[in-house]
Amino acid sequence: MIISGQTKVAGIFGYPIGHTYSPKMHNAAFGQLGLDYIYLPFQVAPDKLGQAVESIRALNMAGVNITVPHKQKVIPFLDELTEEAGLLGAVNTILHKDGRLIGYNTDGRGFVSSLEADAGIDVCGKNILLIGAGGAAQALGISLATAGAGCISIANRTISKAKELADRLKRAYNGSDIHYLGLSGKHLSDVIGQADIIINCTSIGLKADDNPPISTDALHAGQLVCDLIYNPAKTKLLEQAQLKGASILNGLGMLIYQGAAAFEIWTGKKAPVDTMRHAIM
Ligand code: ATR
């Protein structure tokens, strides 16, 4: 990589930031396409977020990714939001264009792309169960509804949060078939049995000895069970789903495709997805 006076700078703001795979992924992609860009990690403390965002303009950067804990708090510092980011109230990508800072959210889109590319699934008309109602579940709910999911059920420990997300999706996607429920009971087991796609959007499974967030008794062949967690690569949920004959998908593809979408927003070029995947494996 040769840095010149022309090199465009992108990066990621987070706190902490030491664990991120994004620099490897994006620098490999810039190298593959011979683009004169560099991508750097920036540890941005919460009380410095406004100054850091203003520096995108001051330093004439191409744009940045935004990660935990800044995805919501960054919004007041931006000039514009895409419809998706506005609906979600969270931003993971900023484009600096003609002096303006535009906030995008590519997380949900990244997951839908991974479903298509890695699992060969078109979500249109599918019966989907989301487990969890936090930021990740919201991003997926919006993108899955946009992509034409037939029915979305949201199961969460705190049922009021599941209701809140279901109500928001119903308002945004008038007429969509959207339901909410708790994380246990016979009704959940019926919903699990009827779903085409089941997606864990909670943090349960991050620890290798975490039990699955739901009972896996009703899982069966013909279903796709997904976990947004990619480390461990196979959570107990995925392990047990596979034993039941279901297909499985972890969150690595979502990480890659959300990055690919950000890459395309900054460069206008098609992202070299295989290079990005190889860089973080
Ligand atoms: P993210 O942005 O990654 O989605 P989040 O917004 O903090 O993170 O959401 C975490 C999700 O995991 C929530 O749905 C949370 O359930 P609650 O709304 O009831 O808190 C879920 N979650 C986390 N730990 C859990 C646990 N031990 N059991 C059940 N659900 C859990």
Side-chain angles (χ1 to χ4, degrees), residues 132-137 156-158 161 183 201-204:
N156 196 45
R157 173 179 60 181
T158 310
K161 282 210 226 158
L183 258 195
C201 307
T202 74
S203 47
I204 305 171

Side-chain angles (χ1 to χ4, degrees), residues 19-31:
H19 62 283
T20 181
Y21 291 141
S22 293
K24 275 193 180 157
M25 190 162 78
H26 284 285
N27 287 319
F30 293 143

Side-chain angles (χ1 to χ4, degrees), residues 96-108:
H96 179 207
K97 191 176 176 210
D98 305 327
R100 289 177 65 74
L101 300 177
I102 307 161
Y104 293 74
N105 196 304
T106 66
D107 284 333

Side-chain angles (χ1 to χ4, degrees), residues 162-181:
K163 178 177 187 315
E164 220 172 276
L165 176 54
D167 288 347
R168 277 180 65 195
L169 290 178
K170 273 192 224 169
R171 274 197 303 275
Y173 299 90
N174 215 352
S176 294
D177 194 6
I178 294 168
H179 310 269
Y180 66 91
L181 65 164

